[in-house]
Amino acid sequence: MGTTIALVVFDDFTDLDLFLPWDLLNRVRLVGGRDDWQVKIVGTEATHVSQAGLRIPTTGFVEEAVDADAVLFTSGPRVPALIEDGRYMNRFSLSPERQLIGSMCSGALFLAKLGLLTGMEATTYPTRRKLLASMGAKVVDRGFVENGNVATAAGCLAGQDLSAWIIRTLADQAMVDSVIDSVLPVEQMVITK
């Protein structure tokens, strides 16, 4: 049985919030030789358009997140409206008891709306701090916050920490090291020495 990670997108998602984890998480298969490792992009349509205007195909629908071993929510300017859309939010039936559930920047609002951050430390993009706090999270100024099987990251490059958390939990630290080593500037790489 394999490992599946679902990356949740929607129109106007933040590009780097998808593409950095997409690349790093896929390196488990590409660099680490894990043929049982699958990364999916899930949405509500066959394609979604990023904030920068890039149209990308999805590989599944958001309802498939229920079966994933890990689910990551991207961010973007439409998140506040999406969390108020009951029909959209009801499409997610997630379980932190059996899944890793994480978010990038304003994606933390999805986790809060799903009741996963109440009374817990969490981080988000600075412009969404007040809204996240009003939803019951204890907002902290850190790039990455882990609460067991739930994690939040803030600042697009914190996607590296979020991806490493998933890889470490679902594979191991050695795989994290191999994946990160494969993207370092060449003078810092261990694999080439």
Side-chain angles (χ1 to χ4, degrees):
M1 193 155 116
T3 301
T4 302
I5 297 101
L7 306 177
V8 180
V9 298
F10 38 84
D11 284 337
D12 287 333
F13 70 88
T14 303
D15 295 63
L16 200 50
D17 289 357
L18 173 68
F19 299 121
L20 180 59
W22 168 260
D23 186 277
L24 292 175
L25 292 166
N26 270 298
R27 285 173 186 262
V28 171
R29 183 175 45 79
L30 301 171
V31 173
R34 287 277 307 266
D35 293 332
D36 63 337
W37 188 274
Q38 180 183 23
V39 184
K40 300 173 87 173
I41 298 172
V42 298
T44 57
E45 304 294 333
T47 64
H48 283 285
V49 179
S50 75
Q51 193 171 14
L54 185 62
R55 181 171 297 279
I56 59 124
T58 57
T59 55
F61 291 99
V62 293
E63 289 84 359
E64 295 175 42
V66 70
D67 296 320
D69 298 287
V71 180
L72 293 185
F73 287 88
T74 59
S75 71
R78 290 195 188 188
V79 173
L82 285 171
I83 65 169
E84 295 307 322
D85 181 343
R87 289 187 332 175
Y88 180 78
M89 292 304 296
N90 285 335
R91 296 174 86 166
F92 296 100
S93 180
L94 306 179
S95 172
E97 291 79 31
R98 60 176 183 75
Q99 295 176 292
L100 298 179
I101 305 169
S103 64
M104 283 300 309
C105 295
S106 65
L109 301 174
F110 290 115
L111 276 57
K113 190 69 171 186
L114 292 169
L116 302 175
L117 298 178
T118 305
M120 303 181 80
E121 286 189 350
T123 190
T124 191
Y125 199 72
T127 59
R128 299 298 183 209
R129 291 174 55 87
K130 286 183 183 177
L131 181 54
L132 184 60
S134 76
M135 297 173 75
K138 296 178 183 177
V139 181
V140 296
D141 248 349
R142 292 201 313 259
F144 179 74
V145 177
E146 176 187 349
N147 295 294
N149 283 354
V150 177
T152 54
C156 296
L157 294 181
Q160 174 181 324
D161 298 323
L162 193 60
S163 299
W165 168 68
I166 288 174
I167 297 166
R168 182 180 310 106
T169 306
L170 299 179
D172 57 32
Q173 183 60 45
M175 185 66 75
V176 173
D177 295 343
S178 293
V179 166
I180 298 303
D181 187 54
S182 74
V183 297
L184 289 173
V186 73
E187 71 273 10
Q188 296 175 26
M189 287 182 172
V190 175
I191 59 174
T192 60
K193 295 179 181 175

